[in-house]
Amino acid sequence: MSKITVNDNVVEWNDGLTITELLKIMKYTFPMLIVKVNGELIRKDQYGTYLVPENSDVKVVHLMSGG
Amino acid sequence: MNVAEMKAKHILLKEFDFKVKELYRGYSDKTLYINLDDNTIKEKEVPQSMKEKFIGGKGYGLKMLWDATKPETKWDDPENEIVISPGPIAGITQYAGAGKSLVVAISPMTDIVIDSNVGGYFGPFLKFAGFDALELQGKAKNDVIIVIDGTKGKITIEEAPAEAMDSHILAEQLTEMYSDSDAPRDMKNISVISAGMAAEHTMIGMLNFSWYDIKRKNVRLKQAGRGGIGTILRNKKIKAVVVKAAGVTADPNHVADMEPIKERGARFAKEMKELDPHQCRMKQEGTAHLVNIMNDYNLLPTNNFQYGSHKDADNLHSRVWNSYFTQGMNDGCWIGCTMNCAKAVDNFELKSGPYKGDKVIVDGPEYETAAGVGSNMGIFDPETVIELNFYCDTYGIDTISFGTMTAFAMECFEKGLITTAHTGGMDLSFGNIESSLELIHQMARGEGFGKIVGLGVRGMKKYFAENFGADPKFMQDIGMENKGLEYSQYVSKESLAQQGGYAMTNKGPQHDEAWLIFMDMVNNHIPTFEDKAEALHYFPMFRTWFGLMGLCKLPWNDVEPENNAQTDEPAKVPEHVDNYITIYNAVTGQNIDKHEMIRQSERVYNYQRTFNIRRGYGLRKHDAQPYRAAGPVTVPEYESLAEQYDKQMKENIGIDPEGKTTEEKIAITRRYREDRYEQLLDAVYKRRGWTDNGVPTLAHMKDLGMDLPEVVEVLSKHQ
Ligand code: SF4
């Protein structure tokens, strides 16, 4: 299986995976996110077009909010 | 009866004239003391040492309550006080969220200090009348109202037999009664504190703080919800406290330097305008925007915190609330709040109770209410949530506790611990709308099973065991209370840090000290015990600071600057922290930095812990949590996430779940999680400068400059 890690969890990867799709797969619906792929910050306007490379280390940081 | 006729029935008990002192750099350095035993009214000077160490808001409240009570004072003893203090920043209108009051008292739920942070105009108006805090002590013989007139410099205590008791009517009557005219420009100068009928008959009474909404031409309410302060108000036979201001000027605090405050305020307002529509939509939906998000992350308490999501949760989705909330209004609970999150449902027609058929304004629901009286009680009908929200408010009870208590009673009913023979024939299954409404009306009437539920989860556990033979051990596991206070509405099972964020709090499990679930469970940012301990040090201390100042927490991180992602510590929102430091310095003329900010809080936080220890609490054993907060108690709970729990067992515990029964797996998981919680306590106590029994060390208090004689006397017995 081709894979990536997302917040240290192993997740299946497929060719053409965008950030938008990845967030959908992870059910990450919270609006205040910071996404980094292999340490590189991905801007919100790139979520639909940026292709996540195989084996990459993705961090989706949820800023706190709540309460 | 009209308000003039009601006023004619008042009996004047005491009149007191005072000179309204102007504020200087956020303070008047005077407080107001009222004792209803003998109708004493007096002004007190604030000593410089108190100002330096306790700052204001909750700090002042704690100090005054400590001095006024003995270690054995009970909530319903006359000497228990309700102290209301806004803090030095309260009353500015140039930055969002600067109108809060902090209320402290000895709680009927917990027997320790409760503190509650509340909006509405009362706190700023109290300051404009020249007082940094208000102490209410003693008990009246008959129902009284207290009127603080900051326009004339006059305070009265008046017997008031004729006014309504429920807040939505009472606040309106008193606003009209004490306003110079019925013109909105005058009505907006009145703010009222009140409770309601159910506050008298339950332990979960809360306080409504009012403000006049000019656009709606009606009175709105914000709540000091937690810990039963409304129950104390009614026990003192206070019907209401009214404050009247001469109006709001541009700089009533006479701050040291207005320019930086204006500049930061404008910057924040721009963020709200440009970013909020794409971030939390606070202006459209308030905190109710969180319901569907929590459901997506399995964090929305459902059926007494058994589960974290539900197939019908979409009925409580933020877009549903968006459609109920009137848009385009000024929904700030203090002037100048550009976050405007105090949303309301207008013209809501009530379907039950004494006001059936009336069309009313309902303030909320906020997230906590939607989850508390909605999903956690298995109710997914938005109109029932709105109706329960309304009745909790007007009857003067806390929506969070009402939700968690009723959910507990419902689970006891479904599991057969109690039956219709105990509930007076009521079917208390999860989701039963009719019974839920009946319960709340019973609480207001002080009768039936509603009165028993009104004891709170801790009270019910005792009552059910003693009178109905219910299993105490099982109830201990599923009863979502710690220190006697009901949990607020987040599922903490999968976040060890949040378990600490709840059960290690000073007042009981309210999320306002720390909300760490995403940081811990989703981001995996704080994997080690030391990391979690650091978060459980920093965030509770940082968030305590809002309560010293008279600030609202929401503008801190419910909208975030565009470049926040690029900062070194985005979770802290450094630019907003810098706004707060700048504003504090500009108001007071001092020059603190972000480290001194935390020290200010640490002094008060550790004093509060010491206060609890003085009262026989505040030790490690009091930070224990019910197991439902940490993991699956029952077979269906485990099996609802079996794959996840089995995987954790294999990878984290090192035990193969293969061939084990669910009961065996529950026991293994429990041992592991309970042990981890103990390790967390060790790490956090160490980080906070406490002994392994959770007691602040004398050395730490000395270092903080809080080695006051009364503090040393309490702590030295526990070193
Ligand atoms: S952010 Fe909301 S709760 Fe806070 S002060 Fe503004 S309107 Fe009130």
Side-chain angles (χ1 to χ4, degrees), chain B residues 126-347:
Chain B
L126 180 70
K127 278 182 69 175
F128 304 163
F131 300 110
D132 291 340
L134 167 65
E135 277 174 281
L136 298 169
Q137 198 175 38
K139 285 192 199 189
K141 286 183 196 63
N142 299 306
D143 283 335
V144 296
I145 60 168
I146 295 162
V147 184
I148 303 163
D149 186 340
T151 67
K152 296 201 182 89
K154 189 182 281 300
I155 296 160
T156 55
I157 304 172
E158 304 171 26
E159 274 189 15
E163 287 82 353
M165 194 62 79
D166 289 337
S167 274
H168 78 292
I169 303 178
L170 175 59
E172 223 175 278
Q173 288 171 341
L174 294 177
T175 302
E176 192 187 331
M177 192 179 287
Y178 289 98
S179 173
D180 287 342
S181 77
D182 59 5
R185 65 166 189 279
D186 291 324
M187 300 282 271
K188 74 171 181 16
N189 290 331
I190 306 290
S191 178
V192 178
I193 300 176
S194 58
M197 286 302 290
E200 277 184 47
H201 305 301
T202 66
M203 302 300 250
I204 58 164
M206 59 74 172
L207 302 181
N208 285 298
F209 279 51
S210 80
W211 83 96
Y212 188 79
D213 184 330
I214 292 192
K215 214 163 174 184
R216 286 184 170 88
K217 298 195 172 45
N218 221 321
V219 172
R220 306 277 310 274
L221 303 171
K222 266 279 183 187
Q223 293 74 36
R226 307 303 330 261
I229 308 173
T231 303
I232 306 169
L233 189 88
R234 291 304 302 135
N235 186 265
K236 293 186 176 304
K237 286 202 175 289
I238 301 174
K239 204 176 224 182
V241 187
V242 181
V243 67
K244 182 172 182 176
V248 183
T249 57
D251 183 17
N253 274 298
H254 297 107
V255 303
D257 185 4
M258 183 53 86
E259 277 320 302
I261 305 173
K262 277 191 185 158
E263 194 266 319
R264 300 298 170 122
R267 214 194 277 182
F268 182 84
K270 192 161 174 276
E271 286 167 19
M272 273 307 296
K273 191 159 176 246
E274 290 171 3
L275 305 173
D276 180 57
H278 316 289
Q279 294 185 3
C280 292
R281 300 189 309 279
M282 293 295 282
K283 203 168 173 176
Q284 277 84 45
E285 291 156 10
T287 57
H289 80 91
L290 284 168
V291 180
N292 41 294
I293 293 167
M294 291 302 124
N295 188 61
D296 289 344
Y297 288 83
N298 215 22
L299 296 168
L300 181 73
T302 304
N303 295 6
N304 194 31
F305 296 88
Q306 290 180 80
Y307 312 109
S309 62
H310 194 278
K311 64 176 177 38
D312 297 331
D314 258 8
N315 297 349
L316 307 180
H317 195 286
S318 59
R319 64 174 170 265
V320 174
W321 300 120
N322 193 322
S323 71
Y324 277 105
F325 294 146
T326 310
Q327 300 297 338
M329 307 301 272
N330 289 326
D331 286 322
C333 71
W334 171 239
I335 299 163
C337 185
T338 43
M339 189 156 252
N340 276 312
C341 83
K343 307 308 297 176
V345 179
D346 287 290
N347 291 314

Side-chain angles (χ1 to χ4, degrees), chain A residues 13-30:
Chain A
W13 174 87
N14 56 59
D15 206 3
L17 180 72
T18 62
I19 300 289
T20 306
E21 284 160 44
L22 179 64
L23 296 180
K24 215 177 264 170
I25 293 167
M26 299 300 293
K27 279 182 98 181
Y28 285 169
T29 55
F30 184 63

